[in-house]
Amino acid sequence: MSAHQLVAPTSIRLNPFKDTNAFSGQKEVPWCVSGRYLSERPVFTKDPLFHAGAYYVQEASSMFVHHLLKEVLPEKQGLRVLDLCAAPGGKSTLIASLLDETSLFVSNEVIRTRASILEENMTRWGYMNTWVTCNDPKDFKKLKGYFDVVVVDAPCSGSGLFRKDKRAINEWSVANVDLCAERQKRILADVWPSIKEDGIIVYSTCSYSEKENEGMLDWVADEFQIEPLSVSINQEWGIETTISQNGIKGYRFFPHLVKGEGFFISMFKKKGVTGAAKLPKLKSKQDKKIKEQAAHLLNIQDWLCLQHKDEYVAIHADHEVDYLMLSQSLYLRRVGVSLGVPSKKEWLPAHDIALSIHRSERLPTVDVDKEQALKFLKKEEMTLPDLPKGWYVVCYAGQGLGWIKALGNRVNNYLPKHWRIRMSIDDEDWA
Ligand code: SAM
């Protein structure tokens, strides 16, 4: 109770593929090398590096996913990983950073409005192997034995957030804990067929209730065949280890013991035989001609160009079957990197390219200061005198923010309208 009276610590996690020294000297989160505690909470919306996806604002306890997965995925390649309840993208941005580019990462959110926030955050993070879907857990049933790793950060009663979000206190009730526990069972049962034999499941909540945590582990152990997994932890971190009645380990985070919010997490392995989904016959949808036209945009070798909905996208060459397979049962909101579309005279580049870690260094860029960067992000008029005509990626402190087109006497701002900063920004914010 007294910990709840204190101010919640502020922490961020750095994008390992978007170098910034903006947080050098800040204290590291002990269980996540890219996590940093900040001494005060800035207005992140006013920081262009936040919009560039150079870091993600995430409370520290949740970053323990890094410690769990780092112990079980040492340098594995070509994995298929699912984050089932992913919006707004805290765990997804973290997991994506742990995977190699031949691994496919599906970041899913069932609620449409939340899926669009997730899509925006994953686009900022900038990885081609991260695809965003908007599906109910039961839609994954058909993908039998498909995923090597599934993360279920389940919707829960939220008691672990009482300090950070006072509304969570009013919304909490015993009846809601019961309701959440039933929903968590449904979610786990629905996604279960899509996990491979020996596949890994990470289950977490931000609830203190045993029913949603240890109780859920016991329910899983009763319903399915599993093998408990555990990791070593440093006692000084203040994390409590708990064991469910069926002997499955969980890790509990309490705000009076750790520098972070309330959280529960556990990891186990699926045992028992799982059928495998039939792979679709490979009917190539590649567009080699368009690939040639768009090749100047990216700095990678092994990629394919596909037409997805009304635009062209680049995916890793290993993921063609996955595209065919997933598009049969899922609503794919974001696939690979959007490239844009060809027009008569030129290539109209997608916003994705500007934020992508795979953007070609040969593309023209224009470096701007904080004032111009914030004007760009507010979609206000920018003054960039003497800029020769053409397309440019606007960069702040080395990180891409979006596209402009210089027309000689003026500059057109191609930041998507719904991405613009709506908050008012004063002169002093430019410093
Ligand atoms: N993993 C996210 C992160 O780290 O940023 C937070 C996820 S939040 C705890 C749980 C998510 O589950 C919410 O985005 C919520 O919309 C979604 N959700 C709600 N009902 C669901 C259901 N029946 N099946 C799957 N997901 C659901």
Side-chain angles (χ1 to χ4, degrees):
M1 289 296 286
S2 56
H4 282 182
Q5 308 312 311
L6 303 174
V7 178
T10 299
S11 49
I12 54 110
R13 192 171 27 74
L14 299 162
N15 186 336
F17 295 98
K18 296 197 176 188
D19 266 353
T20 173
N21 55 14
F23 300 101
S24 52
Q26 304 284 0
K27 203 165 167 255
E28 194 175 304
V29 174
W31 43 87
C32 179
V33 283
S34 47
R36 297 285 179 281
Y37 289 110
L38 306 189
S39 39
E40 53 188 32
R41 192 175 182 90
V43 181
F44 291 109
T45 308
K46 295 179 179 178
D47 179 8
L49 285 175
F50 167 74
H51 299 271
Y55 64 91
Y56 188 93
V57 184
Q58 185 179 34
E59 75 80 25
S61 303
S62 307
M63 297 183 199
F64 193 70
V65 175
H66 175 100
H67 185 71
L68 283 188
L69 289 179
K70 214 48 200 162
E71 292 224 356
V72 290
L73 304 178
E75 277 124 54
K76 283 205 180 131
Q77 302 205 325
L79 295 173
R80 289 163 177 157
V81 180
L82 168 67
D83 184 2
L84 184 63
C85 312
K91 309 222 176 30
S92 276
T93 48
L94 188 158
I95 299 159
S97 297
L98 292 174
L99 302 173
D100 79 300
E101 63 176 27
T102 65
S103 294
L104 177 68
F105 180 42
V106 178
S107 176
N108 177 71
E109 167 59 43
V110 62
I111 297 176
R112 215 175 325 147
T113 46
R114 292 179 60 81
S116 74
I117 298 164
L118 175 67
E119 186 180 355
E120 214 173 296
N121 283 330
M122 298 322 288
T123 298
R124 282 200 181 104
W125 211 241
Y127 304 178
M128 186 164 77
N129 62 348
T130 302
W131 300 6
V132 176
T133 59
C134 179
N135 284 88
D136 190 276
K138 68 177 176 335
D139 300 335
F140 288 84
K141 275 185 188 168
K142 278 194 229 149
L143 295 164
K144 277 211 179 64
Y146 182 80
F147 290 107
D148 298 277
V149 181
V150 169
V151 176
V152 177
D153 186 31
C156 68
S157 60
S159 40
L161 299 179
F162 280 176
R163 172 163 70 177
K164 229 174 78 176
D165 182 0
K166 300 288 178 240
R167 279 172 314 174
I169 300 176
N170 299 329
E171 283 166 16
W172 191 91
S173 67
V174 174
N176 197 29
V177 171
D178 294 342
L179 195 104
C180 288
E182 287 311 308
R183 185 166 53 197
Q184 288 150 0
K185 286 179 192 167
R186 263 198 321 273
I187 292 173
L188 284 163
D190 282 345
V191 79
W192 201 259
S194 72
I195 308 165
K196 267 189 194 149
E197 183 182 353
D198 287 330
I200 287 164
I201 301 101
V202 172
Y203 174 79
S204 61
T205 72
C206 50
S207 160
Y208 297 124
S209 303
E210 281 185 17
K211 208 166 192 173
E212 299 178 75
N213 299 328
E214 291 85 350
M216 204 52 56
L217 302 183
D218 283 332
W219 178 83
V220 173
D222 287 343
E223 292 291 311
F224 308 105
Q225 282 185 54
I226 61 167
E227 179 188 310
L229 291 172
S230 65
V231 295
S232 54
I233 52 171
N234 184 333
Q235 288 311 311
E236 285 171 15
W237 295 349
I239 300 164
E240 288 209 341
T241 304
T242 98
I243 298 189
S244 76
Q245 283 176 14
N246 275 330
I248 308 157
K249 245 187 203 170
Y251 303 91
R252 281 184 168 265
F253 293 69
F254 292 104
H256 62 293
L257 298 177
V258 300
K259 206 170 162 192
E261 300 314 285
F263 186 55
F264 173 87
I265 193 162
S266 173
M267 181 167 69
F268 42 92
K269 211 180 233 188
K270 175 175 177 174
K271 301 307 282 183
V273 180
T274 305
K278 247 190 167 172
L279 291 181
K281 284 218 175 83
L282 199 61
K283 214 168 140 213
S284 184
K285 285 186 157 191
Q286 289 183 55
D287 199 320
K288 291 189 179 150
K289 208 170 120 207
I290 296 285
K291 184 181 171 185
E292 267 170 42
Q293 283 182 50
H296 65 290
L297 300 169
L298 300 173
N299 63 3
I300 40 168
Q301 301 295 325
D302 301 330
W303 63 283
L304 303 175
C305 177
L306 302 177
Q307 187 169 3
H308 177 68
K309 296 187 211 153
D310 53 0
E311 60 179 358
Y312 291 96
V313 298
I315 63 166
H316 192 279
D318 291 355
H319 299 155
E320 189 176 12
V321 179
D322 299 277
Y323 177 76
L324 297 172
M325 178 115 182
L326 297 183
S327 47
Q328 283 176 357
S329 35
L330 302 179
Y331 172 48
L332 302 176
R333 279 192 71 124
R334 173 193 150 87
V335 172
V337 188
S338 293
L339 296 168
V341 285
S343 80
K344 268 187 199 144
K345 287 196 216 132
E346 58 186 358
W347 187 271
L348 300 177
H351 184 56
D352 263 36
I353 299 284
L355 293 153
S356 174
I357 61 165
H358 313 288
R359 166 166 53 88
S360 166
E361 19 326 287
R362 291 194 307 269
L363 288 174
T365 56
V366 55
D367 294 317
V368 296
D369 60 11
K370 196 169 179 187
E371 175 182 349
Q372 292 291 344
L374 289 172
K375 281 189 170 165
F376 172 76
L377 291 165
K378 278 189 73 69
K379 246 177 146 19
E380 283 176 358
E381 208 169 292
M382 296 170 75
T383 36
L384 296 166
D386 309 325
L387 199 59
K389 286 183 185 176
W391 288 94
Y392 295 85
V393 176
V394 178
C395 289
Y396 172 74
Q399 303 302 334
L401 296 173
W403 289 96
I404 54 165
K405 191 173 181 188
L407 301 169
N409 51 353
R410 69 189 161 92
V411 161
N412 277 353
N413 184 333
Y414 279 81
L415 184 82
K417 234 190 207 154
H418 62 279
W419 282 63
R420 76 183 193 285
I421 299 178
R422 290 181 183 85
M423 177 184 249
S424 77
I425 289 182
D426 315 318
D427 295 4
E428 66 217 46
D429 296 319
W430 297 338

